[in-house]
């Protein structure tokens, strides 16, 4: 099956810093989603981005499907950005990466 | 528009008991998915319904798990009998069409003692 690798596994930032999270996948996909799992365990949709670039406030994402990777950018990070960020890809069912644990300190 | 809802939010049962989880997808979404995250592992696909039909159940771990979606609306996932390794968080997701955004519910946290 398709493999999804996220990096880094852990990231610690000071409030206000910028960060880039990466998602590599092993095969062609027609769906790629980024999620934020909040402290209550809920999976919040950030982006549906099988290709191209999207922006939503301080967050943006870019997927280069031909090179099988996606990047999630977080600018001017806030403590509320803390949590686990998942990338998931599919050609049908979603396959999740192991996540990046982000901790933002005030 | 209401999101995906799941019930119960938490369940604590003893090994050997039966538990039934429920998922109500977003209204009008034909596609319904079940996923789970067991302790320390990644989130894994269990199965996919299109309306009331099972499209893909390749992720179901064994025959102790039974999923249904009668009438193509809500879905139930029954675990009978539950084992310790079934503990984890069970997520449900729905989408209007297969290659569109999947919207996740808040999950059911299952603990088998």
């Amino acid at each position: 099956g398709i493999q999804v690798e996220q990096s880094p596994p852990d990231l610690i930032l000071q409030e206000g810093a910028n960060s880039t999270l990466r998602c590599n996948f092993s095969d062609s996909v027609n769906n790629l989603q980024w999620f934020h799992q909040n402290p209550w365990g809920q999976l919040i949709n950030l982006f549906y981005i099988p290709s191209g670039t999207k922006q939503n406030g301080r967050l943006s994402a870019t997927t280069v499907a031909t090179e099988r990777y996606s990047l999630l950018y977080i600018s001017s990070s806030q403590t509320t950005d803390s949590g686990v960020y998942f990338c998931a890809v599919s050609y049908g069912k979603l396959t999740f990466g192991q996540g990046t644990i982000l901790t933002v300190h005030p | 528009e209401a999101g995906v809802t799941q019930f119960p939010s938490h369940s604590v049962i003893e090994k050997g008991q039966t538990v039934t989880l429920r998922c109500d997808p977003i209204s009008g979404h034909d596609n319904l998915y079940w996923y789970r995250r067991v302790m320390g592992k990644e989130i894994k696909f269990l199965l996919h319904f299109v309306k009331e039909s099972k499209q893909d159940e390749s992720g179901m771990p064994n025959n102790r798990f039974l999923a249904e979606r009668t009438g193509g609306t809500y879905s139930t996932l029954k675990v009978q009998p539950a084992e310790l390794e079934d503990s984890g968080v069970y997520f449900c997701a729905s989408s209007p069409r297969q290659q569109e955004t999947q919207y996740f519910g808040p999950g059911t946290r299952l603990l088998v003692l």
Side-chain angles (χ1 to χ4, degrees), chain A residues 36-87:
Chain A
H36 175 214
Q37 188 170 37
N38 63 21
W40 296 271
Q42 293 179 304
L43 286 170
I44 308 300
N45 275 301
L46 297 177
F47 295 102
Y48 169 82
I49 186 166
S51 63
T53 297
K54 290 187 178 179
Q55 180 154 7
N56 184 3
R58 296 181 296 104
L59 273 59
S60 64
T62 294
T63 297
V64 183
T66 52
E67 297 187 22
R68 299 181 185 166
Y69 73 89
S70 183
L71 301 173
L72 177 69
Y73 305 96
I74 304 174
S75 64
S76 304
S77 58
Q78 300 175 359
T79 56
T80 51
D81 295 332
S82 295
V84 186
Y85 288 80
F86 289 104
C87 163

Side-chain angles (χ1 to χ4, degrees), chain B residues 18-83:
Chain B
T18 297
V19 63
T20 300
L21 314 181
R22 174 172 169 142
C23 168
D24 286 77
I26 294 171
S27 177
H29 283 194
D30 287 341
N31 292 271
L32 187 150
Y33 305 81
W34 284 97
Y35 296 86
R36 74 171 181 176
R37 187 181 195 190
V38 295
M39 293 301 179
K41 302 279 182 71
E42 62 266 31
I43 300 170
K44 290 235 171 135
F45 167 81
L46 294 177
L47 87 159
H48 170 206
F49 284 98
V50 178
K51 297 185 180 177
E52 66 274 11
S53 300
K54 291 177 186 173
Q55 179 84 358
D56 180 355
E57 52 184 328
S58 61
M60 294 287 264
N62 52 59
N63 59 10
R64 294 186 295 103
F65 288 75
L66 175 64
E68 294 180 325
R69 192 183 182 194
T70 307
T73 53
Y74 71 91
S75 174
T76 58
L77 179 65
K78 181 192 289 188
V79 185
Q80 179 182 30
E83 297 289 345

